Each structure stands twice: as structure tokens, then as C-alpha cells.
Amino acid sequence: IGGHNEVRNIDVIKTVCRILDSLVSKKPMGLNKYEDLITFVDDRAGHDLRYAIDASKVAKELNWNPDETFESGIRKTVEWYLENTTWG
């Protein structure tokens, strides 16, 4: 189910990097900020230019809207992975 968000891939990773900067005080190899780790590569063949879900039907027919925003949900996801490092 969609959450009425459309976010570019680069903005997703920059958000994850900012969250990591705020949660992880000791960065590897003297890194100043996690965003410095981003490396751009050529798109793969057949790369989809856009992913989007229209959640208007579930909102209209079931009166459902997400409790989380993109930012709050991605923060909880990052926190979970940091707390469960042995799982990954």
C-alpha cells in the first residue's frame, strides 16, 4: 500500500545518511558524514525511471491513511537495523 509519497532514490539515500549521522556518533575511517560514501554509477539497462503507487483507492474505499510519514517510517527502519545488526 502506498503512503502518498514519491521520493527520488537519491533523496531516500540522503535521508538515510542524515539519520545515520544523527544516530551513529562514531563513523568509520574518520568519515565526516555518511553522505560522503555515496557513489554514482551508470544506470543499468532497462532501469525504471519512476516507481509510484496510487493509494487513493484504499484511502477512499477503506478510509485508510498511513500513520507514518516517509521520514518517520524510514527513521524507524534505520533504528531497527542499527539495533538488530546480527540479523542482517
Side-chain angles (χ1 to χ4, degrees):
I1 296 176
H4 309 292
N5 293 292
E6 189 171 337
V7 182
R8 298 180 313 155
N9 290 343
I10 190 63
D11 294 329
V12 171
I13 195 60
K14 285 182 177 184
T15 300
V16 170
C17 289
R18 281 192 300 275
I19 293 168
L20 285 170
D21 286 338
S22 71
L23 296 176
V24 180
S25 57
K26 185 177 179 184
K27 295 174 181 53
M29 301 175 285
L31 192 67
N32 290 324
K33 58 183 183 169
Y34 281 96
E35 196 171 315
D36 293 338
L37 294 172
I38 297 173
T39 303
F40 292 91
V41 297
D42 292 334
D43 286 341
R44 68 185 185 281
H47 172 70
D48 293 327
L49 298 178
R50 182 173 179 260
Y51 304 100
I53 296 174
D54 180 359
S56 61
K57 185 175 182 180
V58 73
K60 180 179 145 193
E61 293 188 15
L62 299 178
N63 197 33
W64 180 89
N65 284 295
D67 291 334
E68 300 286 343
T69 63
F70 167 74
E71 292 78 13
S72 66
I74 198 75
R75 183 174 200 67
K76 287 181 179 180
T77 301
V78 171
E79 288 171 344
W80 186 91
Y81 275 98
L82 290 172
E83 294 167 4
N84 296 279
T85 56
T86 57
W87 187 85

